[in-house]
Amino acid sequence: DSYGFIWIGTWKGLFRYDGYDVINFSVINRRFNALKIEEIIINGNDLWVGSFVTGLFKINLENYEVTHYLKDNEDNHRISDNNIISLCAAPDNNIFVGTERGGLCVINPEGKVAKIYSPETHPNILRTRQISKITYLRDNTIVVGNNGLTFFNYKTEEAKMYTYPGLEYFISDMLRIND
């Protein structure tokens, strides 16, 4: 991060390495209780942590304040599934959350869940509820690994789905090389 720490996600929790010591983040902030970390990204001054079972966490890197997003939350921090598989930050600070069984969640720059996409509500965008990978392409377009690839413009909600032999299964990773 911008403070010089390396963040490490494991199935035993989130760890911070300062060049000398490794510290379990739950010791720094007891409100953080995630195990089985699947994905971590940094967007601005926030560390986003997607876990399998315990939902999504946003950690402010200045003061280590934690915001917890769960399926059972009653407010603007309610997501569609607690099993997070993929995270992606767009240049406009929207955060895209890929889940195991809940489709795609969009968190706006204010930190509120703005939209949830599922194949039931948006069959032109998603084939299944499992979102294995997300990467930002350009011009408000993300690529979603969802039993094939979906190129999705989240501003216009236009989507193009592609299925190629070998891509109709779980996509484990995607990489975009900058122009």
Side-chain angles (χ1 to χ4, degrees):
D1 66 17
S2 62
Y3 300 99
F5 297 116
I6 295 174
W7 294 90
I8 305 160
T10 75
W11 278 48
K12 294 287 186 181
L14 179 69
F15 295 85
R16 187 188 76 182
Y17 176 64
D18 64 5
Y20 302 99
D21 297 309
V22 176
I23 299 172
N24 188 316
F25 184 71
S26 63
V27 172
I28 297 169
N29 187 326
R30 299 238 181 254
R31 287 193 58 223
F32 183 84
N33 61 353
L35 298 174
K36 299 185 178 180
I37 307 299
E38 284 290 316
E39 185 91 84
I40 55 178
I41 62 170
I42 292 177
N43 186 52
N45 207 39
D46 294 319
L47 178 71
W48 292 86
V49 180
S51 71
F52 213 70
V53 178
T54 52
L56 177 68
F57 297 83
K58 179 178 78 169
I59 301 168
N60 180 302
L61 292 174
E62 284 183 17
N63 59 20
Y64 294 136
E65 179 182 315
V66 173
T67 304
H68 194 181
Y69 296 79
L70 283 168
K71 182 178 180 182
D72 296 331
N73 280 357
E74 302 271 337
D75 58 11
N76 293 323
H77 302 118
R78 182 184 185 127
I79 56 177
S80 58
D81 185 14
N82 290 334
N83 295 335
I84 309 305
I85 299 174
S86 184
L87 297 171
C88 175
D92 61 4
N93 295 317
N94 280 297
I95 303 295
F96 297 91
V97 182
T99 69
E100 181 188 35
R101 295 180 301 264
L104 178 69
C105 301
V106 182
I107 300 175
N108 68 22
E110 292 76 40
K112 297 177 181 173
V113 177
K115 190 116 184 185
I116 296 175
Y117 296 92
S118 73
E120 294 81 14
T121 60
H122 296 85
N124 62 316
I125 297 169
L126 299 178
R127 287 181 174 78
T128 70
R129 296 175 74 74
Q130 185 178 68
I131 309 298
S132 59
K133 277 297 168 191
I134 312 163
T135 194
Y136 184 83
L137 187 58
R138 65 172 110 35
D139 301 326
N140 303 314
T141 299
I142 59 173
V143 182
V144 178
N146 176 250
N147 283 23
L149 297 176
T150 300
F151 291 75
F152 174 52
N153 183 309
Y154 57 91
K155 297 286 186 181
T156 65
E157 292 198 342
E158 293 176 21
K160 293 181 183 171
M161 295 182 182
Y162 298 94
T163 301
Y164 301 99
L167 294 184
E168 66 270 27
Y169 304 106
F170 187 90
I171 295 173
S172 60
D173 214 346
M174 290 188 284
L175 175 66
R176 178 182 181 268
I177 308 289
N178 290 332
D179 300 326

